[in-house]
Amino acid sequence: MFRNPLTHFLVLITFLMGCQSPQKAVLEQNSVQTKTTDPKNDFLVTPNGVADTVQFLSLTDESPAKTMIDSSALVNVKTRYAEALRQLYIEQNYTAAKVSFQNTVMALSVWGDSLARAEEDFLDIDMDESAKSDDTKIEVSANDYPNWLAGNIIDHYKNFLEIKNEFSETDFNQNVLSKLTYFGLGIRGQNSTGAIKASITKGHSLDYIPTNVDNERVQKYIAYLTRDSGANIKYLYKKFGRDEKIMRDILKEEGLSSDLLFLALIESGYDANARSRANAMGHWQFIKKTATGYGMNVDWWVDDRRDVYVSTRLAARYLKEMFAEFGDWYLTLAAYNAGNGRIYNAMKKNNTRDYWEMTKLPRETKNYVPIFLAAAQIVKDPGKFGITLTKDPSFQVDTVTIRECLDIEAIAGCVGTTMDSIREINPSLLRWCTPPTVSSYLLKVPFGTRAKFVENAAKIPQEKKRSWIRYQVKYGETLSAIANRYGTDVKAIQQANQLKNAVNLATGQWILIPVAPKSYVAKVETLPKITPTNKNVSSNGNGGNNTVATKNKAFEGKKKLSFKVEAGNTLG
C-alpha cells in the first residue's frame, strides 16, 4: 500500500515539526536528517549510527503553555506516537502499530489528567488579594497546543482503523474518546453510562453564558438593533412580557441560564404564531420534524410548537443535550441555528472548536451568535445604549388538564368570556375544539376561572364535547368530495380513521367525519297541529278503523328536527 514508506514517514514527521498550534504555540523545529533502519536494530538511527526516538513535537521555553505541561507525561505521549508511526510506515507491522496507538491513547489520558491538575493549581489564586490593586490583571493563556496534538493523534489512529476496515464509531467513542474528555475534540456519541460530554469551555456552564463579548461582529448588531432610537429591539422585545414568567420558570427548573430567553427574542420576537420561511413555528422556531421527534403534537387539530409551556420545555431539554455534546454555548447556539452536523463539519473545515475563529460557516450562522449577544447586552442594560424598553403585560392564566374533546365556544361559555379570548391564550388550537387525537390537553383559561370552568364543564352537553358524523362511503366517492360536503379537511378524516392515503376508499366502508357543530345543524320546522279530523287510519284485525292520532297537547311547545335519510343511514 505504501510504495515508499520511509519517505512517507519522514515527510509526515517534517510536516508535524513545522506545524504550529491554532493559537501560535512556539514549536521547536528539530532538524530532520535522512534516517535509515539498521537491520540489526528495529529502531530508527541517525546517519552516524546513534539510535534516536523521533522527537518532533517539543515546546521551547518561550511557550506560555510550558508551565502547564507535565514534561514527563508529554514525552511519553510523543514517544508512544513515534513508535506507532514507525511500526505503521517503516515496518508496516499493523498489529504492533494498533497496540502502540492504544498505548498512545492511554498516555494522552494520563497527560490530560496532569494538565487538568496543573490548570486547577494555576487558577487557584486569592482573588481578594489581587483585587486590591487596580493594576493587577490575571490572564490565562489560551494556548491550544494540547488539543492540536491530541487531535492529530486521534485523527491518525482513526484513519488507520478505517484503512484496515476496523473502525466502529461506537467502539471508538467508548474506548478512545471517552478517555480524553480533557481535550477539546468535539466528542460525541454514546458510551455505557450515557452521552459522552465534550470538555467544557472555560467560562461556560449549564447555567451561565458569557454574554459580555465585545468585538466588531457584536458591535455591528448592537448598532443594528439600537438604530432609530432602538426601533428594531423594541419591536422584538414588546411581546416579551406576555409569557416571560412561564419561560423563565421553566428554564430555571431545567437548570439553564435565563439568558436563553434572548434566543426566543431573536428567533420569533416572542410571537407564538411566528412562522419562518422553512415553516419553523412558535417562540422557539421548531421545524415539524424536530418537534414531533421530541414528542410534540403537530397535526390538523393542534400545533404544540405554539404552546409556550410545551415548546419552552422542549427547547430547554434540546439545548441541554447540545451543550452536553459541544461543551460551549457559542457552538451550541450556532448548532441550534444550523444543525449539529453543519457545526461538526465547520469544526473540521476550520480546524478549530473556537466559534470566533470559524470563517467557513453559513452566513446566517456566522451572524447568529453575535446578534444573540447583542440582544442580551441591550436588554440587560438598555440605558447604556440610550433607549427605553417596554413590554406587554403578562398573560394571567390558569391551567387545567382535560381528557375529552371540548368545543371552544362551550369553553368560553364556562368561564364567561369570548371564543377569541380562549384562542388567544391557547394559540396551539387550530380548529374549533380541543384536539380529539390526544389523551389529554393542557387548557389555558383566564386567571381565576379554573374552579368555575371545572364546575361548568361537567354540565356541557355531550354534543358540544365531540362532533362526529359516521358516514358510509358510496360508489365513486372521494375523501376530497366528502370533506367539502361537510366543511372539513381531508387530512382530518384520514387521521380520524387512520387512513394511509386518500384514494383507497371502499364502497360501503364506514368512516368517522369530524365536523364543526354548526355545520350540520338541521333545519327547524314547526310541526302542523293534528286535529281529530286529521286522522291516521290503519286496519285492525277486526276490519274496523282505529284512530291513532295523538292529542294536540302532547306536541304543544315542541319542535322537530328534519333530517333527510340517505342510503345506509341507521337510527344509531
CSV table of all heavy atoms in Angstrom, one decimal, residues 229-275:
chain,number,residue,atom,x,y,z
A,229,SER,N,-33.5,55.0,17.4
A,229,SER,CA,-33.9,55.0,18.8
A,229,SER,C,-34.3,53.6,19.3
A,229,SER,O,-35.2,53.5,20.1
A,229,SER,CB,-35.1,56.0,19.0
A,229,SER,OG,-34.7,57.3,18.6
A,230,GLY,N,-33.7,52.6,18.7
A,230,GLY,CA,-34.0,51.3,19.2
A,230,GLY,C,-35.2,50.6,18.6
A,230,GLY,O,-35.8,49.7,19.2
A,231,ALA,N,-35.7,51.1,17.4
A,231,ALA,CA,-36.9,50.6,16.9
A,231,ALA,C,-36.9,49.1,16.7
A,231,ALA,O,-37.9,48.4,17.0
A,231,ALA,CB,-37.2,51.3,15.5
A,232,ASN,N,-35.8,48.5,16.3
A,232,ASN,CA,-35.7,47.1,16.0
A,232,ASN,C,-35.8,46.2,17.3
A,232,ASN,O,-36.6,45.3,17.4
A,232,ASN,CB,-34.4,46.7,15.3
A,232,ASN,CG,-34.4,47.2,13.8
A,232,ASN,OD1,-35.4,47.2,13.2
A,232,ASN,ND2,-33.3,47.7,13.4
A,233,ILE,N,-35.1,46.6,18.3
A,233,ILE,CA,-35.1,45.8,19.5
A,233,ILE,C,-36.4,46.0,20.3
A,233,ILE,O,-36.9,45.1,20.9
A,233,ILE,CB,-33.9,46.2,20.4
A,233,ILE,CG1,-33.8,45.2,21.6
A,233,ILE,CG2,-34.0,47.6,21.0
A,233,ILE,CD1,-33.3,43.8,21.2
A,234,LYS,N,-37.0,47.2,20.2
A,234,LYS,CA,-38.3,47.5,20.8
A,234,LYS,C,-39.4,46.6,20.2
A,234,LYS,O,-40.3,46.1,20.9
A,234,LYS,CB,-38.7,49.0,20.6
A,234,LYS,CG,-37.8,49.9,21.5
A,234,LYS,CD,-38.2,51.4,21.3
A,234,LYS,CE,-37.4,52.3,22.2
A,234,LYS,NZ,-37.7,53.7,21.9
A,235,TYR,N,-39.3,46.5,18.9
A,235,TYR,CA,-40.3,45.6,18.2
A,235,TYR,C,-40.2,44.2,18.6
A,235,TYR,O,-41.2,43.5,18.9
A,235,TYR,CB,-40.1,45.7,16.7
A,235,TYR,CG,-41.0,44.8,15.9
A,235,TYR,CD1,-42.4,45.1,15.7
A,235,TYR,CD2,-40.5,43.6,15.4
A,235,TYR,CE1,-43.2,44.2,15.0
A,235,TYR,CE2,-41.3,42.7,14.7
A,235,TYR,CZ,-42.7,43.1,14.5
A,235,TYR,OH,-43.5,42.2,13.8
A,236,LEU,N,-39.0,43.7,18.7
A,236,LEU,CA,-38.8,42.3,19.1
A,236,LEU,C,-39.1,42.0,20.5
A,236,LEU,O,-39.6,40.9,20.9
A,236,LEU,CB,-37.3,41.9,18.8
A,236,LEU,CG,-36.9,41.8,17.3
A,236,LEU,CD1,-35.4,41.6,17.2
A,236,LEU,CD2,-37.6,40.7,16.6
A,237,TYR,N,-38.9,43.0,21.4
A,237,TYR,CA,-39.0,42.8,22.8
A,237,TYR,C,-40.4,43.0,23.3
A,237,TYR,O,-40.7,42.5,24.4
A,237,TYR,CB,-38.1,43.9,23.5
A,237,TYR,CG,-38.0,43.8,25.0
A,237,TYR,CD1,-37.3,42.8,25.6
A,237,TYR,CD2,-38.7,44.7,25.8
A,237,TYR,CE1,-37.3,42.7,27.0
A,237,TYR,CE2,-38.6,44.7,27.2
A,237,TYR,CZ,-37.9,43.6,27.8
A,237,TYR,OH,-37.9,43.6,29.2
A,238,LYS,N,-41.2,43.7,22.6
A,238,LYS,CA,-42.6,44.2,23.1
A,238,LYS,C,-43.4,43.0,23.7
A,238,LYS,O,-44.0,43.2,24.7
A,238,LYS,CB,-43.3,44.9,22.0
A,238,LYS,CG,-44.6,45.5,22.4
A,238,LYS,CD,-45.3,46.3,21.3
A,238,LYS,CE,-46.5,47.1,21.8
A,238,LYS,NZ,-47.5,46.2,22.4
A,239,LYS,N,-43.4,41.9,23.0
A,239,LYS,CA,-44.3,40.8,23.5
A,239,LYS,C,-43.7,39.9,24.6
A,239,LYS,O,-44.3,39.0,25.0
A,239,LYS,CB,-44.7,39.9,22.3
A,239,LYS,CG,-45.5,40.6,21.2
A,239,LYS,CD,-45.8,39.6,20.1
A,239,LYS,CE,-46.7,40.3,19.0
A,239,LYS,NZ,-47.0,39.4,17.9
A,240,PHE,N,-42.5,40.3,25.0
A,240,PHE,CA,-41.8,39.5,26.0
A,240,PHE,C,-42.6,39.3,27.3
A,240,PHE,O,-42.6,38.2,27.9
A,240,PHE,CB,-40.4,40.2,26.3
A,240,PHE,CG,-39.6,39.5,27.3
A,240,PHE,CD1,-39.4,38.1,27.2
A,240,PHE,CD2,-38.9,40.2,28.2
A,240,PHE,CE1,-38.6,37.4,28.1
A,240,PHE,CE2,-38.1,39.5,29.2
A,240,PHE,CZ,-37.9,38.1,29.1
A,241,GLY,N,-43.2,40.4,27.7
A,241,GLY,CA,-43.9,40.3,29.0
A,241,GLY,C,-45.0,39.3,29.1
A,241,GLY,O,-45.4,38.8,30.1
A,242,ARG,N,-45.6,38.9,27.9
A,242,ARG,CA,-46.8,38.0,27.9
A,242,ARG,C,-46.4,36.7,28.5
A,242,ARG,O,-47.2,36.2,29.4
A,242,ARG,CB,-47.3,37.8,26.5
A,242,ARG,CG,-47.7,39.1,25.8
A,242,ARG,CD,-48.3,38.8,24.4
A,242,ARG,NE,-48.7,40.0,23.7
A,242,ARG,CZ,-49.3,39.9,22.5
A,242,ARG,NH1,-49.5,38.8,21.9
A,242,ARG,NH2,-49.6,41.1,21.9
A,243,ASP,N,-45.3,36.1,28.1
A,243,ASP,CA,-45.0,34.7,28.6
A,243,ASP,C,-43.7,34.7,29.3
A,243,ASP,O,-43.1,33.6,29.5
A,243,ASP,CB,-44.9,33.8,27.4
A,243,ASP,CG,-46.2,33.7,26.6
A,243,ASP,OD1,-47.3,33.5,27.3
A,243,ASP,OD2,-46.2,33.9,25.4
A,244,GLU,N,-43.2,35.8,29.8
A,244,GLU,CA,-41.8,35.9,30.4
A,244,GLU,C,-41.8,35.0,31.6
A,244,GLU,O,-40.8,34.2,31.7
A,244,GLU,CB,-41.5,37.3,30.8
A,244,GLU,CG,-40.2,37.4,31.5
A,244,GLU,CD,-39.9,38.8,32.0
A,244,GLU,OE1,-40.8,39.7,31.8
A,244,GLU,OE2,-38.8,39.0,32.6
A,245,LYS,N,-42.7,35.1,32.5
A,245,LYS,CA,-42.6,34.3,33.8
A,245,LYS,C,-42.7,32.8,33.5
A,245,LYS,O,-41.9,32.0,34.1
A,245,LYS,CB,-43.8,34.7,34.7
A,245,LYS,CG,-43.7,34.0,36.0
A,245,LYS,CD,-44.8,34.4,37.0
A,245,LYS,CE,-44.6,33.8,38.4
A,245,LYS,NZ,-44.5,32.4,38.4
A,246,ILE,N,-43.5,32.4,32.5
A,246,ILE,CA,-43.6,30.9,32.2
A,246,ILE,C,-42.3,30.4,31.7
A,246,ILE,O,-41.8,29.4,32.1
A,246,ILE,CB,-44.7,30.7,31.1
A,246,ILE,CG1,-46.1,31.1,31.7
A,246,ILE,CG2,-44.7,29.3,30.7
A,246,ILE,CD1,-47.2,31.2,30.6
A,247,MET,N,-41.7,31.2,30.7
A,247,MET,CA,-40.4,30.7,30.1
A,247,MET,C,-39.3,30.8,31.1
A,247,MET,O,-38.5,29.9,31.2
A,247,MET,CB,-40.1,31.6,28.9
A,247,MET,CG,-41.0,31.4,27.7
A,247,MET,SD,-40.5,32.2,26.2
A,247,MET,CE,-40.7,34.0,26.7
A,248,ARG,N,-39.3,31.8,31.9
A,248,ARG,CA,-38.2,32.0,32.9
A,248,ARG,C,-38.2,30.8,34.0
A,248,ARG,O,-37.2,30.3,34.3
A,248,ARG,CB,-38.3,33.3,33.6
A,248,ARG,CG,-37.1,33.7,34.4
A,248,ARG,CD,-37.3,35.1,35.1
A,248,ARG,NE,-37.4,36.2,34.1
A,248,ARG,CZ,-36.3,36.8,33.5
A,248,ARG,NH1,-35.1,36.4,33.9
A,248,ARG,NH2,-36.5,37.7,32.7
A,249,ASP,N,-39.4,30.5,34.4
A,249,ASP,CA,-39.6,29.4,35.4
A,249,ASP,C,-39.2,28.1,34.9
A,249,ASP,O,-38.5,27.3,35.6
A,249,ASP,CB,-41.1,29.4,35.9
A,249,ASP,CG,-41.5,30.5,36.8
A,249,ASP,OD1,-40.6,31.3,37.2
A,249,ASP,OD2,-42.7,30.7,37.0
A,250,ILE,N,-39.5,27.8,33.6
A,250,ILE,CA,-39.2,26.5,33.0
A,250,ILE,C,-37.6,26.4,32.8
A,250,ILE,O,-37.0,25.4,33.1
A,250,ILE,CB,-39.9,26.3,31.7
A,250,ILE,CG1,-41.4,26.1,31.9
A,250,ILE,CG2,-39.3,25.1,30.9
A,250,ILE,CD1,-42.2,26.1,30.6
A,251,LEU,N,-37.0,27.5,32.4
A,251,LEU,CA,-35.5,27.4,32.2
A,251,LEU,C,-34.9,27.2,33.5
A,251,LEU,O,-33.9,26.5,33.6
A,251,LEU,CB,-35.1,28.8,31.6
A,251,LEU,CG,-35.4,29.0,30.1
A,251,LEU,CD1,-35.0,30.4,29.7
A,251,LEU,CD2,-34.8,27.9,29.2
A,252,LYS,N,-35.4,27.8,34.6
A,252,LYS,CA,-34.8,27.7,35.9
A,252,LYS,C,-35.0,26.2,36.4
A,252,LYS,O,-34.1,25.6,37.0
A,252,LYS,CB,-35.5,28.6,36.9
A,252,LYS,CG,-34.9,28.6,38.3
A,252,LYS,CD,-35.6,29.6,39.2
A,252,LYS,CE,-35.0,29.6,40.6
A,252,LYS,NZ,-35.6,30.6,41.5
A,253,GLU,N,-36.2,25.7,36.2
A,253,GLU,CA,-36.4,24.3,36.6
A,253,GLU,C,-35.5,23.3,35.9
A,253,GLU,O,-35.1,22.3,36.4
A,253,GLU,CB,-37.9,23.9,36.2
A,253,GLU,CG,-38.9,24.5,37.1
A,253,GLU,CD,-40.3,24.3,36.6
A,253,GLU,OE1,-40.5,23.5,35.7
A,253,GLU,OE2,-41.2,25.0,37.1
A,254,GLU,N,-35.1,23.6,34.6
A,254,GLU,CA,-34.2,22.8,33.8
A,254,GLU,C,-32.7,23.1,34.1
A,254,GLU,O,-31.9,22.5,33.5
A,254,GLU,CB,-34.5,23.0,32.3
A,254,GLU,CG,-35.9,22.5,31.9
A,254,GLU,CD,-36.0,21.0,31.9
A,254,GLU,OE1,-35.0,20.3,31.9
A,254,GLU,OE2,-37.2,20.5,32.0
A,255,GLY,N,-32.5,24.0,35.0
A,255,GLY,CA,-31.1,24.3,35.4
A,255,GLY,C,-30.3,25.1,34.3
A,255,GLY,O,-29.1,25.1,34.3
A,256,LEU,N,-31.0,25.9,33.5
A,256,LEU,CA,-30.4,26.7,32.5
A,256,LEU,C,-30.4,28.2,32.8
A,256,LEU,O,-31.1,28.7,33.6
A,256,LEU,CB,-31.1,26.4,31.1
A,256,LEU,CG,-31.0,25.1,30.5
A,256,LEU,CD1,-32.0,24.9,29.4
A,256,LEU,CD2,-29.6,24.8,30.0
A,257,SER,N,-29.5,28.9,32.1
A,257,SER,CA,-29.4,30.3,32.3
A,257,SER,C,-30.6,31.0,31.7
A,257,SER,O,-31.1,30.7,30.6
A,257,SER,CB,-28.1,30.8,31.5
A,257,SER,OG,-28.1,32.2,31.4
A,258,SER,N,-31.1,32.0,32.4
A,258,SER,CA,-32.2,32.8,31.9
A,258,SER,C,-31.9,33.6,30.7
A,258,SER,O,-32.7,34.1,30.0
A,258,SER,CB,-32.8,33.7,33.0
A,258,SER,OG,-31.8,34.6,33.4
A,259,ASP,N,-30.6,33.7,30.4
A,259,ASP,CA,-30.1,34.5,29.2
A,259,ASP,C,-30.6,33.8,27.9
A,259,ASP,O,-30.7,34.4,26.9
A,259,ASP,CB,-28.6,34.6,29.1
A,259,ASP,CG,-28.1,35.6,30.1
A,259,ASP,OD1,-28.9,36.4,30.7
A,259,ASP,OD2,-26.9,35.6,30.4
A,260,LEU,N,-31.0,32.5,28.0
A,260,LEU,CA,-31.6,31.9,26.8
A,260,LEU,C,-32.9,32.4,26.4
A,260,LEU,O,-33.4,32.1,25.3
A,260,LEU,CB,-31.7,30.4,27.1
A,260,LEU,CG,-30.4,29.6,27.2
A,260,LEU,CD1,-30.6,28.2,27.6
A,260,LEU,CD2,-29.7,29.6,25.8
A,261,LEU,N,-33.5,33.3,27.3
A,261,LEU,CA,-34.7,34.0,26.9
A,261,LEU,C,-34.5,34.8,25.6
A,261,LEU,O,-35.4,35.1,24.8
A,261,LEU,CB,-35.2,34.8,28.0
A,261,LEU,CG,-35.8,34.1,29.2
A,261,LEU,CD1,-36.0,35.1,30.4
A,261,LEU,CD2,-37.1,33.4,28.9
A,262,PHE,N,-33.2,35.3,25.5
A,262,PHE,CA,-32.9,36.2,24.3
A,262,PHE,C,-32.8,35.4,23.1
A,262,PHE,O,-32.8,35.9,22.0
A,262,PHE,CB,-31.6,36.9,24.6
A,262,PHE,CG,-31.6,37.6,25.9
A,262,PHE,CD1,-30.6,37.4,26.9
A,262,PHE,CD2,-32.6,38.5,26.2
A,262,PHE,CE1,-30.6,38.1,28.1
A,262,PHE,CE2,-32.6,39.2,27.4
A,262,PHE,CZ,-31.6,39.0,28.4
A,263,LEU,N,-32.7,34.0,23.2
A,263,LEU,CA,-32.8,33.2,22.0
A,263,LEU,C,-34.2,33.3,21.4
A,263,LEU,O,-34.3,33.3,20.1
A,263,LEU,CB,-32.4,31.7,22.4
A,263,LEU,CG,-32.3,30.7,21.2
A,263,LEU,CD1,-31.2,31.1,20.2
A,263,LEU,CD2,-32.1,29.3,21.8
A,264,ALA,N,-35.2,33.2,22.2
A,264,ALA,CA,-36.6,33.3,21.7
A,264,ALA,C,-36.8,34.7,21.1
A,264,ALA,O,-37.6,34.9,20.2
A,264,ALA,CB,-37.6,33.0,22.8
A,265,LEU,N,-36.1,35.7,21.7
A,265,LEU,CA,-36.3,37.1,21.1
A,265,LEU,C,-35.8,37.2,19.7
A,265,LEU,O,-36.5,37.7,18.8
A,265,LEU,CB,-35.5,38.1,22.0
A,265,LEU,CG,-35.6,39.5,21.6
A,265,LEU,CD1,-35.5,40.4,22.8
A,265,LEU,CD2,-34.4,40.0,20.7
A,266,ILE,N,-34.6,36.6,19.4
A,266,ILE,CA,-34.1,36.8,18.0
A,266,ILE,C,-34.7,35.7,17.1
A,266,ILE,O,-34.7,35.9,15.9
A,266,ILE,CB,-32.6,36.6,18.0
A,266,ILE,CG1,-32.1,35.2,18.4
A,266,ILE,CG2,-31.9,37.7,18.8
A,266,ILE,CD1,-30.6,35.0,18.2
A,267,GLU,N,-35.3,34.7,17.7
A,267,GLU,CA,-36.0,33.7,16.8
A,267,GLU,C,-37.3,34.1,16.4
A,267,GLU,O,-37.7,34.0,15.2
A,267,GLU,CB,-36.1,32.3,17.6
A,267,GLU,CG,-34.8,31.5,17.7
A,267,GLU,CD,-34.5,30.8,16.4
A,267,GLU,OE1,-35.3,30.8,15.4
A,267,GLU,OE2,-33.4,30.2,16.3
A,268,SER,N,-38.1,34.7,17.3
A,268,SER,CA,-39.6,34.9,17.0
A,268,SER,C,-40.1,36.2,17.5
A,268,SER,O,-41.2,36.6,17.2
A,268,SER,CB,-40.4,33.8,17.6
A,268,SER,OG,-40.3,33.8,19.0
A,269,GLY,N,-39.3,37.0,18.3
A,269,GLY,CA,-39.9,38.2,18.9
A,269,GLY,C,-41.0,37.8,19.9
A,269,GLY,O,-41.9,38.5,20.1
A,270,TYR,N,-40.8,36.6,20.5
A,270,TYR,CA,-41.8,36.0,21.5
A,270,TYR,C,-43.2,35.9,20.9
A,270,TYR,O,-44.2,36.1,21.6
A,270,TYR,CB,-41.8,36.9,22.8
A,270,TYR,CG,-40.4,37.1,23.4
A,270,TYR,CD1,-39.8,38.4,23.4
A,270,TYR,CD2,-39.7,36.1,23.9
A,270,TYR,CE1,-38.5,38.5,23.9
A,270,TYR,CE2,-38.5,36.2,24.5
A,270,TYR,CZ,-37.9,37.5,24.5
A,270,TYR,OH,-36.6,37.6,25.0
A,271,ASP,N,-43.3,35.6,19.7
A,271,ASP,CA,-44.6,35.5,19.0
A,271,ASP,C,-44.9,34.0,18.8
A,271,ASP,O,-44.2,33.3,18.0
A,271,ASP,CB,-44.6,36.2,17.7
A,271,ASP,CG,-45.9,36.3,17.0
A,271,ASP,OD1,-46.9,35.6,17.5
A,271,ASP,OD2,-46.1,36.9,15.9
A,272,ALA,N,-46.0,33.5,19.4
A,272,ALA,CA,-46.3,32.1,19.3
A,272,ALA,C,-46.7,31.7,17.9
A,272,ALA,O,-46.6,30.6,17.5
A,272,ALA,CB,-47.5,31.8,20.2
A,273,ASN,N,-47.2,32.7,17.1
A,273,ASN,CA,-47.6,32.4,15.7
A,273,ASN,C,-46.6,32.7,14.7
A,273,ASN,O,-46.9,32.7,13.5
A,273,ASN,CB,-48.9,33.3,15.4
A,273,ASN,CG,-50.1,32.9,16.4
A,273,ASN,OD1,-50.4,31.7,16.5
A,273,ASN,ND2,-50.6,33.9,17.0
A,274,ALA,N,-45.4,33.1,15.1
A,274,ALA,CA,-44.3,33.4,14.1
A,274,ALA,C,-44.0,32.1,13.3
A,274,ALA,O,-43.8,31.0,13.8
A,274,ALA,CB,-43.1,33.9,14.8
A,275,ARG,N,-43.9,32.3,12.0
A,275,ARG,CA,-43.5,31.2,11.1
A,275,ARG,C,-42.4,31.7,10.2
A,275,ARG,O,-42.4,32.7,9.6
A,275,ARG,CB,-44.7,30.8,10.2
A,275,ARG,CG,-44.5,29.6,9.3
A,275,ARG,CD,-45.6,29.4,8.3
A,275,ARG,NE,-46.8,29.0,9.0
A,275,ARG,CZ,-47.1,27.7,9.3
A,275,ARG,NH1,-46.3,26.8,9.0
A,275,ARG,NH2,-48.3,27.4,9.9
